[in-house]
Amino acid sequence: MSKKKKNDKTNEVAVDKASCQALDCASSANVQLVWDRYEQQSPHCKFGTEGLCCRICNMGPCRIIEGRQELGACGADAATIVARNFVRLIAGGSSAHSDHGRGVVKAFLETARGENEGYQIKDVDKLMEVARFFEIETEGRDKYEIAEEVGERALANFGRQEGYSDFIKKAPQKRQELWEREGVTPRGIDREVVETMHRSTMGVDQDYKNILRQGTRAALADGWSGSMIATELQDIMFGTPGEPGETGRKSAMKFEANLGVIKEDKVNIMVHGHEPLISEMIAIAAQDDQLIEYAKEKGASGINVAGICCTANELLQRHGIPVAGSFLQQELAVVTGAVEMMLVDVQCVMQSLGDVLDDYHTRVVTTTDKARMEMAEHIEFDESKPLESARKIVRNAIDNFVNRGEVNIIEDSKEALAGFSFEYIKYMLGGSFRSSFWPLNSNIIDGRIRGVAGVVGCNNVAMPMDSLHIPLVEELIANDVLVVQTGCSAIASAKAGLLTPETAVEKAGSGLAEVCEAVGIPPVLHAGSCVDNTRILHALAEMVNVGQQNQRLNIGDDVSELPVAGAAPEWMSEKAIAIGQYFVTSGVYTVFGGTFPTIGSQKVTDYLFKEYEKVYGATWDNAQDAHEMAGKMIDRIDAKREALGIEKGAERVLFDMEMRREMVD
Ligand code: SF4
Ligand code: MSK
């Protein structure tokens, strides 16, 4: 492996103590990590950063220099090149989420047909709800029969050549009409991704607005179809977060977050990536008495499964399984020397894990043919026998316990709450009798809650880990903005101790704190993994629906009229661009931190950052620090409040019996 020069700038790369401690360990052992390689890569290519490098044909690579080289060899200008690169990011991100969704549908269908053991149809209420949405007959039918038809309908959304994706009908009517007017309503997911790649290849679409229009179709196919299918069917198979589990009561899920969840006396298995299909079974296998006994025979006191990235988010929201860290902490987990196995599925897995592992006993195991690593063991996960495959993998990890060398256990983790699915938020707000978003709209109108912000996305080595996520979230809640989070951003808040009800008292503004205390929720809600951003789309649509059911609670007839905003402060993945594009074109003003991949073309950037307001009622934006970002988001929320005439906070809407009767589940 490549050795490195000692990295002694730990405080500049992470804000949490646990990561700094692990970085010190790596530094002493002279192990190269992502921060060292980033430094070696610096300074970064300006053309690439600004989206001005084109390498889609062999007459290139071509790059654009204003005033000197204004055109590529084929005549493509800066706007065309930047727009093509941008939509290719969207296509990449959309394909990742949606291929994940396709894998879920496949497992779902096998479960419905009784072709695998291990998976279940757990949330029958949600199955019935999705079946009703698809207008599938449910009366007197077996749940597996209904599930099979739901799976087939979901699968048809991927290759559909005619007509639109089914789930777009969940968007507010006004938004659907806007998409139709703009010609961006998404058709089949695969079609939109393929067409984006086609249109952005050499010599095809050369009108930047038209190129971006196709990017919008692909992004909307991701958010309102591929990702949404993943979330909905995962919930049916594994349980909707917050829904009654073994306790029989609806409740949020308590979990621990940060590297301190890695235990010295246990066999530690890290599940990393994005898909819960494998890790759900690993979580079950790790509770197998025979395997626990086997671990004890090897000298451990038990088996500890912890997660990294979004596989962690999937598991913690349904089982309370601890999270060892976010994207940038994957190597740090190995540096503890106490990880027997790093089990990876797809997305956000660093190839460097192989190098780091040279110094440690950790086995890295790939589980899907879609994502193999040259240096890793590959144990193909047999989806027809998922539990059997999981037991084999856990046994393999236990066998590695005896190979441990020196360990660097980090005693730092925080308690947090997760599981705030759309359904659970609705239940918490409205109660078990009539779960509803009405109280949210009401509290927004009376000004206790100023607005709602989605803060999502990755960590990026270009900035100290969590240095934007945490102050941004803190500033938003201090200003009475309710924050909903997913992905590594949610993990950042968990590590900072923000995902607790106590945060309301300690850090939220008085209005938000009052609501959170009354309802019993934290002011920062963990809504799940990256594909679960669709839970936020559902919530936005419901905020509109509530106002249409009762004008006194109206806070906008379309998403773009709601007092809401979004952010991905430390984004790095092309998936974040796909998510940003579907949020903006669904009507949510969205701010990204760090560099933005269109800044090489003023025309394209102005279009996305300014003119989109006229097209979609929302724009992209960019900010370099948390305070600036929070300020922009709050300004946006305030502008929307003013447009609604509720800038001062109207009188609180009190529910009388008649209103309660009108409430629809
Ligand atoms: Fe250069 Fe045009 Fe080929 Fe791009 S498509 S590499 S700008 S010649
Ligand atoms: S894992 S996509 S680093 S959020 Fe979803 Fe985190 Fe970004 Fe991967």
Side-chain angles (χ1 to χ4, degrees):
M1 69 170 281
S2 45
K3 287 290 176 186
K4 62 159 192 119
K5 65 182 172 60
K6 195 170 182 293
N7 186 341
D8 49 11
K9 294 192 281 186
T10 51
N11 293 333
E12 289 171 33
V13 299
V15 301
D16 69 298
K17 272 193 281 162
S19 295
C20 291
Q21 201 180 322
L23 275 155
D24 280 340
C25 296
S27 190
S28 314
N30 227 18
V31 175
Q32 186 180 67
L33 300 176
V34 56
W35 292 275
D36 307 291
R37 295 185 298 271
Y38 178 77
E39 214 169 283
Q40 288 158 15
Q41 286 289 338
S42 302
H44 285 78
C45 167
K46 193 171 172 292
F47 303 104
T49 306
E50 298 184 351
L52 284 171
C53 172
C54 183
R55 40 172 290 277
I56 61 170
C57 93
N58 205 28
M59 298 195 291
C62 299
R63 61 230 187 290
I64 303 299
I65 305 170
E66 211 186 348
R68 238 176 71 203
Q69 277 170 241
E70 301 269 359
L71 301 174
C74 67
D77 63 11
T80 298
I81 291 173
V82 164
R84 282 176 176 168
N85 285 332
F86 189 68
V87 300
R88 283 183 168 226
L89 290 174
I90 295 173
S94 301
S95 69
H97 290 144
S98 300
D99 207 36
H100 166 171
R102 187 201 321 269
V104 172
V105 178
K106 192 170 160 276
F108 186 86
L109 273 170
E110 284 168 2
T111 307
R113 290 170 182 154
E115 291 169 359
N116 63 30
E117 48 109 347
Y119 300 134
Q120 299 170 40
I121 300 299
K122 226 174 186 174
D123 190 338
V124 179
D125 288 347
K126 188 147 186 175
L127 171 70
M128 295 303 166
E129 197 195 305
V130 177
R132 276 195 296 276
F133 176 80
F134 282 148
E135 294 174 356
I136 290 170
E137 182 58 56
T138 56
E139 202 57 40
R141 294 179 77 194
D142 174 72
K143 70 174 179 181
Y144 292 102
E145 217 179 292
I146 298 168
E148 184 173 7
E149 216 177 316
V150 165
E152 281 163 355
R153 276 293 294 274
L155 193 61
N157 278 274
F158 290 84
R160 172 166 294 147
Q161 300 302 313
E162 303 293 335
Y164 298 139
S165 293
D166 286 315
F167 280 139
I168 55 148
K169 292 196 206 86
K170 285 186 177 268
Q173 189 59 34
K174 226 174 151 181
R175 186 60 24 180
Q176 290 182 49
E177 286 163 11
L178 184 156
W179 291 336
E180 191 62 28
R181 259 196 328 272
E182 289 304 316
V184 295
T185 313
R187 301 155 297 184
I189 301 157
D190 296 353
R191 175 178 178 174
E192 299 305 3
V193 172
V194 169
E195 197 167 318
T196 304
M197 294 306 286
H198 174 201
R199 287 185 186 219
S200 60
T201 201
M202 196 271 160
V204 189
D205 206 344
Q206 296 162 32
D207 170 345
Y208 72 95
K209 290 187 184 174
N210 206 41
I211 296 169
L212 292 170
R213 200 169 293 130
Q214 177 54 29
T216 300
R217 280 187 206 103
L220 291 174
D222 174 3
W224 292 91
S225 197
S227 288
M228 201 169 273
I229 287 170
T231 299
E232 299 297 272
L233 299 201
Q234 281 172 185
D235 281 356
I236 296 172
M237 271 199 292
F238 305 130
T240 302
E243 288 298 300
E246 277 119 47
T247 61
R249 279 186 302 110
K250 288 184 191 253
S251 67
M253 198 54 84
K254 210 181 262 186
F255 69 101
E256 289 279 326
N258 218 337
L259 295 164
V261 305
I262 298 170
K263 302 295 176 202
E264 183 163 16
D265 58 337
K266 298 214 167 140
V267 171
N268 292 299
I269 303 174
M270 299 296 111
V271 286
H272 173 19
H274 278 75
E275 294 182 350
L277 293 173
I278 298 157
S279 49
E280 276 278 336
M281 292 299 116
I282 296 289
I284 295 171
Q287 291 164 22
D288 181 309
D289 287 343
Q290 280 180 352
L291 287 170
I292 293 170
E293 211 36 57
Y294 186 56
K296 287 180 179 163
E297 280 168 31
K298 297 281 176 185
S301 71
I303 306 164
N304 179 36
V305 178
I308 303 211
C309 280
C310 278
T311 299
N313 287 322
E314 294 285 2
L315 279 190
L316 65 85
Q317 65 180 335
R318 297 191 178 92
H319 305 289
I321 296 249
V323 51
S326 57
F327 168 70
L328 279 184
Q329 290 176 292
Q330 57 190 286
E331 293 170 318
L332 300 180
V334 175
V335 166
T336 64
V339 173
E340 274 56 57
M341 183 177 282
M342 178 74 80
L343 188 73
V344 303
D345 50 80
V346 292
Q347 303 166 26
C348 299
V349 176
M350 290 191 196
Q351 186 169 347
S352 62
L353 281 177
D355 262 4
V356 178
L357 293 173
D358 274 359
D359 288 75
Y360 301 89
H361 78 304
T362 307
R363 279 183 187 158
V364 62
V365 173
T366 54
T367 49
T368 159
D369 195 48
K370 284 180 198 165
R372 292 200 183 216
M373 296 166 87
E374 206 183 345
M375 33 45 72
E377 283 174 56
H378 182 76
I379 304 180
E380 187 73 32
F381 197 75
D382 182 353
E383 277 171 19
S384 65
K385 294 189 184 93
L387 202 48
E388 201 178 305
S389 293
R391 283 201 197 97
K392 194 168 139 194
I393 290 167
V394 172
R395 201 175 171 84
N396 204 301
I398 296 169
D399 285 334
N400 197 25
F401 185 74
V402 295
N403 297 323
R404 265 195 199 175
E406 190 189 325
V407 295
N408 311 298
I409 293 299
I410 289 157
E411 308 280 351
D412 189 16
S413 64
K414 290 273 193 313
E415 206 167 78
L417 279 184
F420 291 91
S421 60
F422 166 69
E423 292 81 356
Y424 185 58
I425 295 175
K426 206 170 161 187
Y427 163 78
M428 285 307 283
L429 291 170
S432 58
F433 178 55
R434 287 196 188 274
S435 63
S436 172
F437 266 53
W438 284 35
L440 176 63
N441 285 30
S442 165
N443 280 299
I444 288 174
I445 290 168
D446 71 26
R448 282 183 179 80
I449 295 178
R450 192 173 194 152
V452 180
V455 181
V456 307
C458 323
N459 286 124
N460 187 324
V461 67
M463 58 191 81
M465 180 168 45
D466 303 339
S467 62
L468 292 187
H469 290 303
I470 296 167
L472 172 64
V473 168
E474 286 181 338
E475 188 162 342
L476 288 170
I477 60 172
N479 282 284
D480 295 311
V481 176
L482 177 68
V483 174
V484 185
Q485 295 203 271
T486 60
C488 291
S489 188
I491 296 176
S493 289
K495 291 187 292 173
L498 295 173
L499 304 186
T500 62
E502 295 74 43
T503 303
V505 185
E506 291 158 12
K507 300 193 179 230
S510 58
L512 178 61
E514 192 186 322
V515 176
C516 290
E517 282 183 281
V519 175
I521 54 171
V524 188
L525 303 177
H526 188 322
S529 66
C530 292
V531 292
D532 292 336
N533 280 308
T534 61
R535 300 191 198 280
I536 303 178
L537 293 180
H538 273 136
L540 295 167
E542 188 62 14
M543 287 161 79
V544 172
N545 286 343
V546 160
Q548 286 172 347
Q549 285 159 13
N550 189 313
Q551 272 305 312
R552 280 184 285 176
L553 291 170
N554 190 297
I555 51 169
D557 293 324
D558 191 1
V559 175
S560 56
E561 296 166 24
L562 300 170
V564 300
E570 301 179 27
W571 77 281
M572 67 85 199
S573 169
E574 52 191 6
K575 290 178 285 174
I577 293 291
I579 293 167
Q581 183 74 1
Y582 75 63
F583 268 106
V584 170
T585 55
S586 294
V588 182
Y589 165 79
T590 302
V591 195
F592 270 37
T595 57
F596 198 80
T598 66
I599 52 173
S601 164
Q602 198 59 50
K603 249 202 235 175
V604 173
T605 306
D606 281 351
Y607 187 54
L608 296 174
F609 284 43
K610 293 178 187 157
E611 290 172 55
Y612 255 26
E613 190 68 47
K614 286 187 228 119
V615 186
Y616 295 107
T619 64
W620 284 88
D621 208 342
N622 185 227
Q624 296 314 313
D625 69 67
H627 179 62
E628 182 193 359
M629 199 174 285
K632 286 183 167 196
M633 293 169 80
I634 292 167
D635 284 351
R636 174 73 180 193
I637 285 169
D638 285 351
K640 291 293 159 186
R641 291 186 66 87
E642 201 178 329
L644 289 164
I646 55 169
E647 64 274 30
K648 292 201 172 71
E651 277 303 297
R652 184 136 195 232
V653 180
L654 295 170
F655 292 171
D656 55 26
M657 274 318 285
E658 193 194 345
M659 284 175 76
R660 286 188 182 277
R661 262 183 242 115
E662 283 173 39
M663 287 167 77
V664 187
D665 280 349

